[in-house]
């Protein structure tokens, strides 16, 4: 592989006009496609195989035209102080609002609070429910504006009016903090390279790659039902890996220049060595992201595949456009150690070209090699302590209660809780399929009576049968808020009671609604976590055996990843569930961790963790196979790679942290989780635990059974073939067979 990439790097350097033209053309084509494509909102949400989804599908069949999955809005009214919603003036205002809402072309029905008995016991709060024909993502702007205008008219009459439900779903925005993250990345690159030109190359190529990826996602969003969150996460991951991959190749290019090579040769060697690491690091990320499809949640699958496509583009750009741009930059990108015009001093070198004063990476690695056991224990204990909150992990999906208090959805949620109790925001819909029963009406009555006898049930509405009389819906209001464990227990209690009814009457009792759907999603994700870990970690483990030609190094990499991801989950629980530093993070409402968070974090963090493993350890292996002792190879790897890996980690943390400012709680949580996970993995696992373990293992770290050595393909990540071809092996070094 190193030889192929070496030729590709030299070709891209020579044919830089052609390479640049191709990428600019692709960016333009993707941009035109995105601009001309129809807009898409939030992706539709379905969970195949769950009871809640089966109930939704049954409603579509048995209650045609009711739009079971259509958008809903709850217009909540509160009377002025000292007044009641039953006062004649307030009653007239509400009925005028209901009439105004009913005129919408996409409206199926609007309930009158006074006919539906939707007035609180103290008479101060009432609500009208609006049902639409289409989902929230398909609802047009005119319908949303009409909803807002009707509420505004009621406010002018003196009422407090807020709107909840999914009819006013908004496309999330990331805020200025995303720009700050990119600015931090730019500063780190300038400090690392000491040159604006060299620093600008990774930023430019990353932005081009993300531009192509996100534009392609936007262009296909409507056709493939890709939500706005999909492009946001693709942008987050694409920016981070795009900058990092380019950073490693530019750094290796400068190192090759420092050894006296011509620029074209240096570009070829940079792509042949660092580029090989980029390919395999990118493959681990792609495996982790595409592997999300095993969970069988369409939205998660689309997010993973879209992000994986952006990562693949980042790899291709790093391998081709970076050497092309290096050709354009010419002498403006200086050899490593040479003083730049902007920052830094030239490093004094001895006659052999080695730095006279060891850099920080060398000094740190030397310390770890001298005290490996102490560093290992300190790192493991520290990450273990950070992981403790993960034992209290509670999963759920965000609802209006997790919205900022400044939004009308959150204020409507609070008003409904105040007037009707916390469980009113998460009603359960029980669907009774009595088609195979002898007496459907008796089954409907029996089901309602059994549900009334369960704990935490406040209200059970009478059964509402369809025209055929074989299926009915029953609405159950819990006593607890939607995301509570008590409500989850109630859902399971209703399903257990349904199993008994099934045995007695041959009728199916299904529980659905957004609350039940959230519970089913959490359970499905929990069940899929172990198979997903086995698949992704197993495939990556095999890939790393090929890369490092070792058993223990990939095993150590996987165990280190588990430490870092558990510590990151502990930090997420502490902030978003317990409320530690929640004000600093802009978390206005603590609660359960998003149910997709653990499995998504496992996928993304594993891929990113392997990035640093590949970049850092391939340098160590390169030194080892060319004759250095194991401990010295660790120090050599840090001398060449620690500064660049540190810069890459800081950049990735800055990019991810930039998404903490998002208005979407899901994006905010993922941004924080990935940023803290990169910190734990890069600076504690890869910079401390990895060298400590390698120092303790010595030559055993690079052991591989001979039969396996013969069976594995030689991908030559360390560029051994390039050395042999050019004949620049050191005369006093002998290649070590490992």
């Amino acid at each position: 592989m190193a030889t192929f990439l070496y030729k590709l790097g030299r070709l891209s350097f020579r044919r830089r006009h052609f390479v640049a033209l191709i990428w600019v053309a692709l960016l333009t084509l993707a941009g035109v496609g995105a601009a001309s494509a129809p807009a898409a909102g939030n992706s539709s949400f379905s969970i195949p195989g769950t009871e809640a989804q089966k109930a939704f599908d049954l409603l579509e069949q048995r209650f045609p035209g009711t739009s079971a999955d259509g958008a809903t809005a709850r217009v909540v009214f509160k009377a002025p102080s000292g007044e009641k919603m039953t006062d004649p003036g307030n009653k007239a205002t509400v009925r005028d609002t209901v009439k105004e809402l009913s005129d919408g072309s996409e409206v199926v029905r609007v309930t009158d609070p006074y006919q539906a008995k939707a007035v609180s016991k103290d008479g101060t709060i009432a609500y009208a429910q609006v049902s639409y024909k289409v989902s929230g993502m398909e609802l047009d702007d005119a319908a949303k504006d009409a909803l807002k205008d009707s509420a505004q008219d009621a406010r002018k009459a003196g009422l407090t009016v807020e709107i909840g439900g999914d009819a006013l779903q908004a496309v999330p925005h990331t805020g200025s903090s995303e720009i700050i993250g990119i600015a931090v990345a730019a500063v780190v690159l300038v400090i690392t390279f000491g040159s604006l030109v060299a620093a600008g190359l990774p930023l430019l190529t990353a932005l081009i790659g993300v531009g192509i990826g996100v534009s392609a996602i936007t262009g296909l969003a409507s056709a493939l039902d890709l939500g706005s969150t999909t492009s946001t996460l693709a942008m987050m991951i694409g920016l981070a890996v795009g900058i990092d991959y380019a950073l490693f190749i530019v750094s290796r290019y400068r190192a090759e220049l420092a050894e006296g090579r011509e620029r074209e040769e240096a570009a070829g060697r940079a792509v042949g060595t660092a580029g090989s690491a980029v390919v395999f690091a990118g493959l681990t990320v792609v495996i982790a992201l595409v592997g999300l499809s095993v969970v069988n949640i369409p939205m998660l699958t689309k997010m993973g595949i879209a992000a994986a496509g952006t990562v693949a583009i980042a790899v291709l750009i790093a391998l081709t456009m970076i050497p092309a741009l290096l050709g354009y930059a010419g002498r403006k990108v200086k050899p490593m150690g040479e003083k730049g015009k902007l920052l830094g001093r030239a490093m004094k070198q001895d006659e052999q070209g080695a730095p006279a004063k060891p850099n920080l990476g060398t000094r740190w690695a030397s310390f770890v090699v001298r005290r490996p056991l102490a560093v290992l224990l300190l790192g493991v204990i520290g990450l273990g302590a950070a992981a403790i909150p993960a034992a209290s992990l509670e999963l759920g999906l965000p609802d209006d209660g997790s919205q900022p208090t400044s939004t009308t959805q959150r204020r409507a949620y609070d008003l409904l809780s105040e007037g009707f109790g916390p469980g009113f925001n998460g009603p359960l819909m029980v669907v009774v399929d009595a088609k195979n029963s002898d007496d459907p009406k008796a089954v409907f009555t029996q089901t309602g009576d059994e549900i009334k006898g369960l704990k935490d049930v406040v209200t059970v509405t009478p059964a509402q049968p369809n025209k055929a009389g074989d299926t009915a819906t029953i609405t159950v209001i819990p006593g607890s808020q939607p995301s509570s464990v008590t409500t989850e227990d109630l859902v399971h209690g209703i399903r257990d009671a349904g199993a008994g009814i099934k045995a007695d009457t041959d009728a199916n009792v299904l529980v659905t609604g957004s609350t039940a759907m959230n519970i089913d999603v959490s359970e499905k994700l929990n069940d899929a976590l172990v198979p997903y870990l086995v698949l992704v970690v197993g495939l990556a483990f095999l890939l790393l055996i090929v890369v490092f030609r070792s058993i223990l190094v990939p095993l150590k990499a996987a165990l280190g990843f588990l430490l870092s991801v558990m510590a990151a989950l502990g930090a997420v629980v502490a902030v978003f569930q317990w409320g530690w530093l929640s004000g600093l993070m802009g978390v206005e409402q603590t609660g359960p961790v998003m149910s997709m968070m653990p499995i998504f974090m496992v996928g993304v963090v594993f891929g990113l963790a392997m990035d640093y493993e590949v970049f850092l350890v391939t340098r160590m292996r390169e030194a080892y196979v060319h004759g250095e002792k194991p401990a010295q190879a660790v120090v050599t790897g840090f001398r060449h790679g620690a500064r660049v890996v540190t810069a890459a980690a800081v950049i990735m943390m800055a990019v991810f942290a930039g998404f903490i400012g998002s208005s979407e709680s899901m994006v905010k949580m993922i941004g924080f989780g990935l940023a803290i996970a990169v910190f734990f993995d890069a600076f504690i696992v890869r910079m401390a635990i990895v060298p400590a373990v390698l120092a303790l293992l010595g030559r055993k770290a690079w052991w591989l059974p001979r039969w396996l050595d013969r069976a594995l393909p030689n991908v030559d990540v360390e560029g051994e073939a390039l050395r042999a071809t050019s004949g620049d092996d050191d005369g006093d070094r002998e290649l070590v067979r490992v």
Side-chain angles (χ1 to χ4, degrees), residues 21 27 80 84 118 129 183 196 208 295 313 335 379 401 415 448 456-457 488 519 521 528 619 633 659 663 684 689 718:
L21 182 63
L27 178 61
K84 302 284 188 181
Q129 180 153 316
L196 284 175
I208 290 174
V295 184
I313 292 171
L415 283 176
D456 200 47
V457 173
E488 182 177 347
I519 292 169
V521 169
R619 272 290 196 170
F659 288 83
S663 62
I684 299 180
I689 294 178
E718 63 276 358

Side-chain angles (χ1 to χ4, degrees), residues 24 33 36 118 134 192 324 371 402 411 442 445 505 530 676 688-689:
V24 171
S36 59
V134 296
T192 302
R371 303 282 191 274
S402 62
R411 292 195 292 263
T445 302
T505 66
V530 172
I676 198 70
I689 294 178

